[in-house]
Amino acid sequence: MKLSQFKFNLPQELIALYPHSFTREFKHEDGSVERFHVTRRDECRLMVLHTKSGEIELFHKDADGKPIEGDYLDFRNLLDYFDEGDTFIFNDTKVFPARLYGTKEKTDAKIEVFLLRELNAEMRLWDVLVEPARKIRIGNKLFFDDTGSMVAEVIDNTTSRGRTLRFLYDCDHEEFKRELYSLGEAPLPRYVIDYREDHHATAEDLEQFQTVFAQAEGAVTAPATGLHFSRELMKRMEIRGIRHAFITLHCGLGTFNPIEVEDLTKHKMDSEQMLIHAEACRIVNAAKREGKRILSVGTSVVKATETAVGTDGMLKEYDGWTNKFIFPPYDFGLSNAMVANFYHPLSTLLMETAAFGGYDAVMECYRLAVEHGYKFGCYGDALLILND
């Protein structure tokens, strides 16, 4: 397919800058009204696409099965489409506070440093992105706190914006990581940061930009669809007998890289580290043999499982990297259900979603999402696709 086939008009006001929230009012006995803000990660809107019938659900239905206009499904309704023994696959990667702000020695120029990955724990070497990159050269020193105790030296150029930093901090590794992370903030995507008034993540984002089941540290952006799952929703899954399995794919920034070729077969994705243990394979493959629904929670899970699925349709153990790029047409080997956020035009995440649900059907869902004011992006609303 062609890049231009994934272009659509997305109004800026439909990009979610914060998690789903609402304002509630409490009226006191004296007549005064108190308003407070409530964030509910599991109450965003949910749209449902049934690929076999072509039905697209936006609303709750009445006793006769007719849609109730304006009464939108929310994410908690996800469980209504699954039965005992069905299995959800989650990405348990953990986001670390990767965005730091520092100053360049002598000039005091403001520098943004985005941590990508630790290259060598003993030598304190990190692969990073810097902005503005033109000001940062090999040999420069960067300062990250008022005391001057956290200092890094640029020792190599990797890409146009990429650098290798050696942190000059004399302590054990665990203390170093704690101090480094204490200076960072949640690595929200640029399309969120750039449109917030203060252009920064909040203290609350450190918690909200993390799934409730995050465990394996290594992501520099969240597996966004997993953000909608609350502890209460996970408990409801357990009560209903819905199983779950965890895989790990450390989400990188590659999904945000613009595609610069019209022919999608010529686009190359950045590699991301992934790990699938035997226990996840056991749970998922048991559900597969029993003919149960298998739901991939998010595009990162689809990418990981399609990297590791065998020719027999069973999930295999995996410890390595993947640069898999999924776009239509594509034959999926494992999951028969997927839930994903609504994403930006021309994004690889939209392309993967369209591959799973069918190009025409998914693009119609996106048209309806814009028409009905659904929210897009990492904090946005969700689309459930059922392929059976």
Side-chain angles (χ1 to χ4, degrees), residues 254-287:
T255 54
F256 300 115
N257 290 342
I259 299 178
E260 299 177 343
V261 291
E262 177 69 1
D263 182 355
L264 296 182
T265 63
K266 292 180 167 55
H267 177 67
K268 302 300 181 185
M269 293 285 288
D270 290 350
S271 293
E272 295 168 307
Q273 191 173 14
M274 57 172 280
L275 178 64
I276 298 179
H277 289 294
E279 178 65 6
C281 296
R282 183 189 66 78
I283 295 169
V284 172
N285 293 337

PDB file of all heavy atoms in Angstrom, residues 254-287:
ATOM      1  N   GLY A 254      10.730   4.686  17.528  1.00  0.00           N
ATOM      2  CA  GLY A 254      10.641   4.415  16.098  1.00  0.00           C
ATOM      3  C   GLY A 254       9.252   4.578  15.524  1.00  0.00           C
ATOM      4  O   GLY A 254       9.092   4.955  14.356  1.00  0.00           O
ATOM      5  N   THR A 255       8.235   4.305  16.345  1.00  0.00           N
ATOM      6  CA  THR A 255       6.865   4.429  15.841  1.00  0.00           C
ATOM      7  C   THR A 255       6.496   5.886  15.559  1.00  0.00           C
ATOM      8  O   THR A 255       5.521   6.150  14.852  1.00  0.00           O
ATOM      9  CB  THR A 255       5.859   3.861  16.859  1.00  0.00           C
ATOM     10  OG1 THR A 255       6.069   4.480  18.132  1.00  0.00           O
ATOM     11  CG2 THR A 255       6.032   2.364  16.998  1.00  0.00           C
ATOM     12  N   PHE A 256       7.262   6.837  16.107  1.00  0.00           N
ATOM     13  CA  PHE A 256       6.984   8.250  15.874  1.00  0.00           C
ATOM     14  C   PHE A 256       7.804   8.825  14.723  1.00  0.00           C
ATOM     15  O   PHE A 256       7.616   9.992  14.354  1.00  0.00           O
ATOM     16  CB  PHE A 256       7.257   9.064  17.146  1.00  0.00           C
ATOM     17  CG  PHE A 256       6.425   8.634  18.323  1.00  0.00           C
ATOM     18  CD1 PHE A 256       7.020   8.081  19.442  1.00  0.00           C
ATOM     19  CD2 PHE A 256       5.052   8.756  18.307  1.00  0.00           C
ATOM     20  CE1 PHE A 256       6.262   7.686  20.536  1.00  0.00           C
ATOM     21  CE2 PHE A 256       4.279   8.361  19.389  1.00  0.00           C
ATOM     22  CZ  PHE A 256       4.888   7.817  20.504  1.00  0.00           C
ATOM     23  N   ASN A 257       8.728   8.030  14.193  1.00  0.00           N
ATOM     24  CA  ASN A 257       9.529   8.518  13.076  1.00  0.00           C
ATOM     25  C   ASN A 257       8.654   8.693  11.843  1.00  0.00           C
ATOM     26  O   ASN A 257       7.891   7.791  11.486  1.00  0.00           O
ATOM     27  CB  ASN A 257      10.663   7.542  12.747  1.00  0.00           C
ATOM     28  CG  ASN A 257      11.731   7.506  13.811  1.00  0.00           C
ATOM     29  OD1 ASN A 257      11.829   8.415  14.629  1.00  0.00           O
ATOM     30  ND2 ASN A 257      12.533   6.452  13.811  1.00  0.00           N
ATOM     31  N   PRO A 258       8.729   9.827  11.171  1.00  0.00           N
ATOM     32  CA  PRO A 258       7.920  10.014   9.959  1.00  0.00           C
ATOM     33  C   PRO A 258       8.364   9.070   8.849  1.00  0.00           C
ATOM     34  O   PRO A 258       9.554   8.779   8.706  1.00  0.00           O
ATOM     35  CB  PRO A 258       8.186  11.474   9.586  1.00  0.00           C
ATOM     36  CG  PRO A 258       9.508  11.795  10.211  1.00  0.00           C
ATOM     37  CD  PRO A 258       9.572  10.997  11.472  1.00  0.00           C
ATOM     38  N   ILE A 259       7.390   8.568   8.107  1.00  0.00           N
ATOM     39  CA  ILE A 259       7.697   7.720   6.951  1.00  0.00           C
ATOM     40  C   ILE A 259       7.979   8.641   5.771  1.00  0.00           C
ATOM     41  O   ILE A 259       7.165   9.498   5.439  1.00  0.00           O
ATOM     42  CB  ILE A 259       6.526   6.768   6.641  1.00  0.00           C
ATOM     43  CG1 ILE A 259       6.277   5.848   7.842  1.00  0.00           C
ATOM     44  CG2 ILE A 259       6.804   5.952   5.390  1.00  0.00           C
ATOM     45  CD1 ILE A 259       5.106   4.893   7.658  1.00  0.00           C
ATOM     46  N   GLU A 260       9.112   8.469   5.140  1.00  0.00           N
ATOM     47  CA  GLU A 260       9.553   9.388   4.097  1.00  0.00           C
ATOM     48  C   GLU A 260       9.479   8.790   2.701  1.00  0.00           C
ATOM     49  O   GLU A 260       9.992   9.373   1.745  1.00  0.00           O
ATOM     50  CB  GLU A 260      10.978   9.856   4.405  1.00  0.00           C
ATOM     51  CG  GLU A 260      11.068  10.615   5.739  1.00  0.00           C
ATOM     52  CD  GLU A 260      12.474  11.025   6.096  1.00  0.00           C
ATOM     53  OE1 GLU A 260      13.419  10.456   5.495  1.00  0.00           O
ATOM     54  OE2 GLU A 260      12.636  11.911   6.956  1.00  0.00           O
ATOM     55  N   VAL A 261       8.832   7.614   2.571  1.00  0.00           N
ATOM     56  CA  VAL A 261       8.682   6.976   1.258  1.00  0.00           C
ATOM     57  C   VAL A 261       7.211   6.687   1.025  1.00  0.00           C
ATOM     58  O   VAL A 261       6.468   6.346   1.942  1.00  0.00           O
ATOM     59  CB  VAL A 261       9.503   5.674   1.163  1.00  0.00           C
ATOM     60  CG1 VAL A 261      10.988   5.971   1.156  1.00  0.00           C
ATOM     61  CG2 VAL A 261       9.158   4.724   2.312  1.00  0.00           C
ATOM     62  N   GLU A 262       6.771   6.833  -0.216  1.00  0.00           N
ATOM     63  CA  GLU A 262       5.371   6.551  -0.558  1.00  0.00           C
ATOM     64  C   GLU A 262       5.096   5.051  -0.569  1.00  0.00           C
ATOM     65  O   GLU A 262       4.038   4.589  -0.150  1.00  0.00           O
ATOM     66  CB  GLU A 262       5.047   7.180  -1.919  1.00  0.00           C
ATOM     67  CG  GLU A 262       3.644   6.896  -2.431  1.00  0.00           C
ATOM     68  CD  GLU A 262       2.538   7.586  -1.641  1.00  0.00           C
ATOM     69  OE1 GLU A 262       2.856   8.328  -0.687  1.00  0.00           O
ATOM     70  OE2 GLU A 262       1.349   7.370  -1.961  1.00  0.00           O
ATOM     71  N   ASP A 263       6.071   4.284  -1.023  1.00  0.00           N
ATOM     72  CA  ASP A 263       5.960   2.827  -1.067  1.00  0.00           C
ATOM     73  C   ASP A 263       6.322   2.258   0.308  1.00  0.00           C
ATOM     74  O   ASP A 263       7.482   2.292   0.724  1.00  0.00           O
ATOM     75  CB  ASP A 263       6.911   2.270  -2.133  1.00  0.00           C
ATOM     76  CG  ASP A 263       6.821   0.763  -2.272  1.00  0.00           C
ATOM     77  OD1 ASP A 263       6.089   0.113  -1.489  1.00  0.00           O
ATOM     78  OD2 ASP A 263       7.500   0.217  -3.163  1.00  0.00           O
ATOM     79  N   LEU A 264       5.327   1.720   1.031  1.00  0.00           N
ATOM     80  CA  LEU A 264       5.547   1.283   2.402  1.00  0.00           C
ATOM     81  C   LEU A 264       6.520   0.113   2.511  1.00  0.00           C
ATOM     82  O   LEU A 264       7.127  -0.089   3.568  1.00  0.00           O
ATOM     83  CB  LEU A 264       4.212   0.900   3.049  1.00  0.00           C
ATOM     84  CG  LEU A 264       3.208   2.043   3.201  1.00  0.00           C
ATOM     85  CD1 LEU A 264       1.945   1.558   3.896  1.00  0.00           C
ATOM     86  CD2 LEU A 264       3.820   3.216   3.964  1.00  0.00           C
ATOM     87  N   THR A 265       6.702  -0.647   1.457  1.00  0.00           N
ATOM     88  CA  THR A 265       7.640  -1.769   1.504  1.00  0.00           C
ATOM     89  C   THR A 265       9.079  -1.291   1.649  1.00  0.00           C
ATOM     90  O   THR A 265       9.961  -2.073   2.017  1.00  0.00           O
ATOM     91  CB  THR A 265       7.531  -2.632   0.237  1.00  0.00           C
ATOM     92  OG1 THR A 265       7.890  -1.847  -0.917  1.00  0.00           O
ATOM     93  CG2 THR A 265       6.122  -3.172   0.053  1.00  0.00           C
ATOM     94  N   LYS A 266       9.318  -0.017   1.415  1.00  0.00           N
ATOM     95  CA  LYS A 266      10.684   0.525   1.487  1.00  0.00           C
ATOM     96  C   LYS A 266      10.979   1.199   2.829  1.00  0.00           C
ATOM     97  O   LYS A 266      12.090   1.686   3.054  1.00  0.00           O
ATOM     98  CB  LYS A 266      10.928   1.508   0.340  1.00  0.00           C
ATOM     99  CG  LYS A 266      10.955   0.840  -1.032  1.00  0.00           C
ATOM    100  CD  LYS A 266      11.194   1.849  -2.137  1.00  0.00           C
ATOM    101  CE  LYS A 266      11.527   1.174  -3.463  1.00  0.00           C
ATOM    102  NZ  LYS A 266      10.516   0.211  -3.890  1.00  0.00           N
ATOM    103  N   HIS A 267       9.996   1.245   3.726  1.00  0.00           N
ATOM    104  CA  HIS A 267      10.215   1.857   5.033  1.00  0.00           C
ATOM    105  C   HIS A 267      10.832   0.847   5.999  1.00  0.00           C
ATOM    106  O   HIS A 267      10.401  -0.306   6.064  1.00  0.00           O
ATOM    107  CB  HIS A 267       8.891   2.367   5.620  1.00  0.00           C
ATOM    108  CG  HIS A 267       9.036   2.952   6.993  1.00  0.00           C
ATOM    109  ND1 HIS A 267       9.730   4.118   7.240  1.00  0.00           N
ATOM    110  CD2 HIS A 267       8.580   2.514   8.205  1.00  0.00           C
ATOM    111  CE1 HIS A 267       9.688   4.387   8.533  1.00  0.00           C
ATOM    112  NE2 HIS A 267       9.009   3.434   9.148  1.00  0.00           N
ATOM    113  N   LYS A 268      11.829   1.285   6.756  1.00  0.00           N
ATOM    114  CA  LYS A 268      12.505   0.426   7.726  1.00  0.00           C
ATOM    115  C   LYS A 268      12.207   0.921   9.145  1.00  0.00           C
ATOM    116  O   LYS A 268      12.420   2.095   9.458  1.00  0.00           O
ATOM    117  CB  LYS A 268      14.020   0.415   7.487  1.00  0.00           C
ATOM    118  CG  LYS A 268      14.428  -0.038   6.090  1.00  0.00           C
ATOM    119  CD  LYS A 268      13.951  -1.454   5.791  1.00  0.00           C
ATOM    120  CE  LYS A 268      14.389  -1.884   4.394  1.00  0.00           C
ATOM    121  NZ  LYS A 268      13.842  -3.224   4.035  1.00  0.00           N
ATOM    122  N   MET A 269      11.747   0.013   9.982  1.00  0.00           N
ATOM    123  CA  MET A 269      11.453   0.344  11.374  1.00  0.00           C
ATOM    124  C   MET A 269      12.707   0.218  12.227  1.00  0.00           C
ATOM    125  O   MET A 269      13.590  -0.602  11.948  1.00  0.00           O
ATOM    126  CB  MET A 269      10.393  -0.610  11.920  1.00  0.00           C
ATOM    127  CG  MET A 269       9.027  -0.467  11.279  1.00  0.00           C
ATOM    128  SD  MET A 269       8.131   0.998  11.821  1.00  0.00           S
ATOM    129  CE  MET A 269       7.693   0.536  13.496  1.00  0.00           C
ATOM    130  N   ASP A 270      12.780   1.014  13.286  1.00  0.00           N
ATOM    131  CA  ASP A 270      13.833   0.834  14.282  1.00  0.00           C
ATOM    132  C   ASP A 270      13.593  -0.468  15.042  1.00  0.00           C
ATOM    133  O   ASP A 270      12.451  -0.903  15.203  1.00  0.00           O
ATOM    134  CB  ASP A 270      13.840   1.993  15.284  1.00  0.00           C
ATOM    135  CG  ASP A 270      14.314   3.295  14.664  1.00  0.00           C
ATOM    136  OD1 ASP A 270      14.801   3.266  13.527  1.00  0.00           O
ATOM    137  OD2 ASP A 270      14.174   4.340  15.332  1.00  0.00           O
ATOM    138  N   SER A 271      14.651  -1.072  15.532  1.00  0.00           N
ATOM    139  CA  SER A 271      14.522  -2.316  16.299  1.00  0.00           C
ATOM    140  C   SER A 271      14.138  -2.020  17.739  1.00  0.00           C
ATOM    141  O   SER A 271      14.570  -1.021  18.321  1.00  0.00           O
ATOM    142  CB  SER A 271      15.834  -3.105  16.268  1.00  0.00           C
ATOM    143  OG  SER A 271      16.104  -3.582  14.971  1.00  0.00           O
ATOM    144  N   GLU A 272      13.333  -2.912  18.312  1.00  0.00           N
ATOM    145  CA  GLU A 272      12.931  -2.823  19.710  1.00  0.00           C
ATOM    146  C   GLU A 272      13.184  -4.171  20.383  1.00  0.00           C
ATOM    147  O   GLU A 272      12.969  -5.223  19.781  1.00  0.00           O
ATOM    148  CB  GLU A 272      11.452  -2.452  19.830  1.00  0.00           C
ATOM    149  CG  GLU A 272      11.135  -1.062  19.294  1.00  0.00           C
ATOM    150  CD  GLU A 272       9.652  -0.815  19.149  1.00  0.00           C
ATOM    151  OE1 GLU A 272       8.978  -1.631  18.499  1.00  0.00           O
ATOM    152  OE2 GLU A 272       9.156   0.192  19.680  1.00  0.00           O
ATOM    153  N   GLN A 273      13.645  -4.117  21.613  1.00  0.00           N
ATOM    154  CA  GLN A 273      13.972  -5.351  22.338  1.00  0.00           C
ATOM    155  C   GLN A 273      12.692  -5.997  22.861  1.00  0.00           C
ATOM    156  O   GLN A 273      11.787  -5.309  23.343  1.00  0.00           O
ATOM    157  CB  GLN A 273      14.909  -5.030  23.504  1.00  0.00           C
ATOM    158  CG  GLN A 273      15.508  -6.262  24.160  1.00  0.00           C
ATOM    159  CD  GLN A 273      16.556  -5.895  25.199  1.00  0.00           C
ATOM    160  OE1 GLN A 273      16.654  -4.734  25.612  1.00  0.00           O
ATOM    161  NE2 GLN A 273      17.338  -6.860  25.624  1.00  0.00           N
ATOM    162  N   MET A 274      12.604  -7.314  22.779  1.00  0.00           N
ATOM    163  CA  MET A 274      11.416  -8.021  23.237  1.00  0.00           C
ATOM    164  C   MET A 274      11.777  -9.346  23.885  1.00  0.00           C
ATOM    165  O   MET A 274      12.849  -9.921  23.639  1.00  0.00           O
ATOM    166  CB  MET A 274      10.422  -8.245  22.101  1.00  0.00           C
ATOM    167  CG  MET A 274      10.972  -8.994  20.900  1.00  0.00           C
ATOM    168  SD  MET A 274       9.701  -9.422  19.684  1.00  0.00           S
ATOM    169  CE  MET A 274       8.964 -10.886  20.431  1.00  0.00           C
ATOM    170  N   LEU A 275      10.886  -9.821  24.737  1.00  0.00           N
ATOM    171  CA  LEU A 275      11.110 -11.053  25.487  1.00  0.00           C
ATOM    172  C   LEU A 275       9.770 -11.745  25.704  1.00  0.00           C
ATOM    173  O   LEU A 275       8.825 -11.124  26.206  1.00  0.00           O
ATOM    174  CB  LEU A 275      11.770 -10.741  26.829  1.00  0.00           C
ATOM    175  CG  LEU A 275      12.045 -11.912  27.772  1.00  0.00           C
ATOM    176  CD1 LEU A 275      13.042 -12.874  27.165  1.00  0.00           C
ATOM    177  CD2 LEU A 275      12.547 -11.395  29.123  1.00  0.00           C
ATOM    178  N   ILE A 276       9.692 -13.007  25.327  1.00  0.00           N
ATOM    179  CA  ILE A 276       8.494 -13.815  25.568  1.00  0.00           C
ATOM    180  C   ILE A 276       8.920 -15.082  26.292  1.00  0.00           C
ATOM    181  O   ILE A 276       9.704 -15.875  25.780  1.00  0.00           O
ATOM    182  CB  ILE A 276       7.769 -14.168  24.256  1.00  0.00           C
ATOM    183  CG1 ILE A 276       7.294 -12.878  23.564  1.00  0.00           C
ATOM    184  CG2 ILE A 276       6.590 -15.087  24.520  1.00  0.00           C
ATOM    185  CD1 ILE A 276       6.594 -13.115  22.242  1.00  0.00           C
ATOM    186  N   HIS A 277       8.411 -15.250  27.518  1.00  0.00           N
ATOM    187  CA  HIS A 277       8.773 -16.388  28.346  1.00  0.00           C
ATOM    188  C   HIS A 277       7.880 -17.605  28.047  1.00  0.00           C
ATOM    189  O   HIS A 277       6.820 -17.501  27.430  1.00  0.00           O
ATOM    190  CB  HIS A 277       8.640 -16.035  29.832  1.00  0.00           C
ATOM    191  CG  HIS A 277       9.679 -15.076  30.328  1.00  0.00           C
ATOM    192  ND1 HIS A 277      11.013 -15.396  30.392  1.00  0.00           N
ATOM    193  CD2 HIS A 277       9.567 -13.799  30.778  1.00  0.00           C
ATOM    194  CE1 HIS A 277      11.689 -14.365  30.874  1.00  0.00           C
ATOM    195  NE2 HIS A 277      10.839 -13.381  31.113  1.00  0.00           N
ATOM    196  N   ALA A 278       8.332 -18.745  28.557  1.00  0.00           N
ATOM    197  CA  ALA A 278       7.603 -19.997  28.367  1.00  0.00           C
ATOM    198  C   ALA A 278       6.207 -19.940  28.990  1.00  0.00           C
ATOM    199  O   ALA A 278       5.253 -20.522  28.450  1.00  0.00           O
ATOM    200  CB  ALA A 278       8.396 -21.157  28.959  1.00  0.00           C
ATOM    201  N   GLU A 279       6.064 -19.253  30.121  1.00  0.00           N
ATOM    202  CA  GLU A 279       4.766 -19.180  30.788  1.00  0.00           C
ATOM    203  C   GLU A 279       3.722 -18.493  29.923  1.00  0.00           C
ATOM    204  O   GLU A 279       2.567 -18.927  29.850  1.00  0.00           O
ATOM    205  CB  GLU A 279       4.902 -18.457  32.129  1.00  0.00           C
ATOM    206  CG  GLU A 279       3.606 -18.273  32.895  1.00  0.00           C
ATOM    207  CD  GLU A 279       2.971 -19.577  33.352  1.00  0.00           C
ATOM    208  OE1 GLU A 279       3.584 -20.650  33.191  1.00  0.00           O
ATOM    209  OE2 GLU A 279       1.842 -19.506  33.893  1.00  0.00           O
ATOM    210  N   ALA A 280       4.109 -17.404  29.253  1.00  0.00           N
ATOM    211  CA  ALA A 280       3.180 -16.729  28.350  1.00  0.00           C
ATOM    212  C   ALA A 280       2.778 -17.651  27.210  1.00  0.00           C
ATOM    213  O   ALA A 280       1.600 -17.706  26.826  1.00  0.00           O
ATOM    214  CB  ALA A 280       3.812 -15.456  27.804  1.00  0.00           C
ATOM    215  N   CYS A 281       3.745 -18.390  26.675  1.00  0.00           N
ATOM    216  CA  CYS A 281       3.447 -19.332  25.595  1.00  0.00           C
ATOM    217  C   CYS A 281       2.464 -20.403  26.062  1.00  0.00           C
ATOM    218  O   CYS A 281       1.527 -20.768  25.330  1.00  0.00           O
ATOM    219  CB  CYS A 281       4.730 -19.980  25.088  1.00  0.00           C
ATOM    220  SG  CYS A 281       5.892 -18.819  24.328  1.00  0.00           S
ATOM    221  N   ARG A 282       2.654 -20.893  27.267  1.00  0.00           N
ATOM    222  CA  ARG A 282       1.779 -21.939  27.795  1.00  0.00           C
ATOM    223  C   ARG A 282       0.336 -21.444  27.906  1.00  0.00           C
ATOM    224  O   ARG A 282      -0.603 -22.125  27.467  1.00  0.00           O
ATOM    225  CB  ARG A 282       2.269 -22.381  29.176  1.00  0.00           C
ATOM    226  CG  ARG A 282       1.456 -23.519  29.787  1.00  0.00           C
ATOM    227  CD  ARG A 282       1.834 -23.765  31.241  1.00  0.00           C
ATOM    228  NE  ARG A 282       1.488 -22.634  32.095  1.00  0.00           N
ATOM    229  CZ  ARG A 282       0.255 -22.386  32.531  1.00  0.00           C
ATOM    230  NH1 ARG A 282      -0.762 -23.177  32.175  1.00  0.00           N
ATOM    231  NH2 ARG A 282       0.017 -21.351  33.313  1.00  0.00           N
ATOM    232  N   ILE A 283       0.149 -20.245  28.441  1.00  0.00           N
ATOM    233  CA  ILE A 283      -1.194 -19.702  28.636  1.00  0.00           C
ATOM    234  C   ILE A 283      -1.874 -19.405  27.298  1.00  0.00           C
ATOM    235  O   ILE A 283      -3.026 -19.789  27.065  1.00  0.00           O
ATOM    236  CB  ILE A 283      -1.115 -18.419  29.489  1.00  0.00           C
ATOM    237  CG1 ILE A 283      -0.609 -18.743  30.896  1.00  0.00           C
ATOM    238  CG2 ILE A 283      -2.477 -17.729  29.557  1.00  0.00           C
ATOM    239  CD1 ILE A 283      -0.261 -17.513  31.722  1.00  0.00           C
ATOM    240  N   VAL A 284      -1.147 -18.741  26.410  1.00  0.00           N
ATOM    241  CA  VAL A 284      -1.719 -18.349  25.119  1.00  0.00           C
ATOM    242  C   VAL A 284      -2.007 -19.564  24.256  1.00  0.00           C
ATOM    243  O   VAL A 284      -3.082 -19.670  23.640  1.00  0.00           O
ATOM    244  CB  VAL A 284      -0.775 -17.369  24.401  1.00  0.00           C
ATOM    245  CG1 VAL A 284      -1.255 -17.106  22.979  1.00  0.00           C
ATOM    246  CG2 VAL A 284      -0.661 -16.065  25.181  1.00  0.00           C
ATOM    247  N   ASN A 285      -1.086 -20.486  24.204  1.00  0.00           N
ATOM    248  CA  ASN A 285      -1.268 -21.654  23.340  1.00  0.00           C
ATOM    249  C   ASN A 285      -2.378 -22.570  23.834  1.00  0.00           C
ATOM    250  O   ASN A 285      -3.076 -23.205  23.031  1.00  0.00           O
ATOM    251  CB  ASN A 285       0.047 -22.422  23.201  1.00  0.00           C
ATOM    252  CG  ASN A 285       1.099 -21.623  22.433  1.00  0.00           C
ATOM    253  OD1 ASN A 285       0.767 -20.727  21.662  1.00  0.00           O
ATOM    254  ND2 ASN A 285       2.362 -21.944  22.641  1.00  0.00           N
ATOM    255  N   ALA A 286      -2.576 -22.616  25.150  1.00  0.00           N
ATOM    256  CA  ALA A 286      -3.691 -23.405  25.689  1.00  0.00           C
ATOM    257  C   ALA A 286      -5.018 -22.815  25.218  1.00  0.00           C
ATOM    258  O   ALA A 286      -5.937 -23.550  24.814  1.00  0.00           O
ATOM    259  CB  ALA A 286      -3.623 -23.435  27.211  1.00  0.00           C
ATOM    260  N   ALA A 287      -5.126 -21.485  25.268  1.00  0.00           N
ATOM    261  CA  ALA A 287      -6.342 -20.826  24.791  1.00  0.00           C
ATOM    262  C   ALA A 287      -6.537 -21.047  23.296  1.00  0.00           C
ATOM    263  O   ALA A 287      -7.661 -21.254  22.821  1.00  0.00           O
ATOM    264  CB  ALA A 287      -6.276 -19.332  25.104  1.00  0.00           C
TER     265      ALA A 287
END
